[in-house]
Amino acid sequence: MAKTMISDNFTLILRISMASIWLYAGILGKLLNSGFLNPSSEQYVGFTIQYLAQGSIIRQFLYIVAMPHPVLVGTLVMIGEICFGFLTLIGLMTRLSSVIAFYTNLIYFLSASWTGAEEYGLNLLMMTINAYMIAYGSGNFSIDSLILRKFNIIDNKILWIVVGSVIYIAVIVYLTLV
């Protein structure tokens, strides 16, 4: 009993920490940043993509997928970060959200890790926490745990990994074809 309570408290702390990072990045860093989607601003997402591509090991991927439509990619990133934050905070669809967030952090890690230790460390840490959430779920202090009492499908890790992977690949394919 005590071990479960410690685990649930730890998971809740991880969820709140992750949610605060995602919400800060999505709301303050993008949604409320008037320059983020504005091509005439120094804070324009297109300049960020261009800068990151310079030293990235996934340079070609960024040029093919992100550079042709930076406003669309920026909008998807902003919506994704806000959704990851909100869903993680309340513990709803945590495994699915964590799979998609893991891939998002992987792209950030591969594109920005060359810029310094803070990008390298933050994205690596977030991928590790995403992997924890995928493996162990959102704990008892979550909406997922309430739903789990009625439906067992939400606890199927493999299902959520497959669904999240398909969603992420579909978005990349869409961006490649647009």
Side-chain angles (χ1 to χ4, degrees):
M1 177 68 176
K3 187 175 182 179
T4 303
M5 184 61 109
I6 291 170
S7 174
D8 285 335
N9 289 337
F10 177 72
T11 302
L12 180 61
I13 291 167
L14 285 179
R15 282 190 13 237
I16 292 169
S17 300
M18 276 294 268
S20 69
I21 294 169
W22 283 122
L23 290 170
Y24 181 87
I27 295 171
L28 294 177
K30 293 169 184 68
L31 182 65
L32 298 178
N33 178 351
S34 60
F36 182 68
L37 298 175
N38 182 353
S40 62
S41 170
E42 291 179 8
Q43 297 174 335
Y44 176 53
V45 64
F47 296 145
T48 303
I49 295 168
Q50 194 172 27
Y51 168 71
L52 293 176
Q54 291 175 9
S56 174
I57 62 173
I58 59 168
R59 175 185 335 205
Q60 287 305 109
F61 173 83
L62 294 173
Y63 283 136
I64 292 168
V65 175
M67 276 306 294
H69 15 266
V71 172
L72 175 58
V73 170
T75 302
L76 289 172
V77 166
M78 176 177 50
I79 291 168
E81 289 178 348
I82 293 168
C83 288
F84 301 151
F86 180 71
L87 292 172
T88 301
L89 183 64
I90 65 172
L92 178 62
M93 298 188 309
T94 305
R95 284 196 165 105
L96 176 62
S97 177
S98 293
V99 168
I100 298 170
F102 179 90
Y103 289 129
T104 301
N105 278 120
L106 179 61
I107 297 296
Y108 293 169
F109 177 77
L110 294 174
S111 62
S113 62
W114 68 273
T115 64
E118 62 280 348
E119 288 295 331
Y120 176 88
L122 177 63
N123 289 300
L124 188 58
L125 178 61
M126 289 179 75
M127 285 189 300
T128 303
I129 295 171
N130 286 323
Y132 176 89
M133 294 293 173
I134 294 165
Y136 298 105
S138 55
N140 282 328
F141 306 125
S142 66
I143 294 175
D144 284 345
S145 72
L146 297 174
I147 295 171
L148 181 59
R149 293 177 190 147
K150 296 273 185 192
F151 308 101
N152 199 23
I153 191 168
I154 201 162
D155 203 32
N156 188 330
K157 295 173 218 169
I158 302 301
L159 172 67
W160 294 122
I161 291 169
V162 170
V163 170
S165 299
V166 168
I167 290 169
Y168 209 85
I169 290 168
V171 169
I172 290 172
V173 169
Y174 173 76
L175 290 171
T176 304
L177 298 175
V178 172

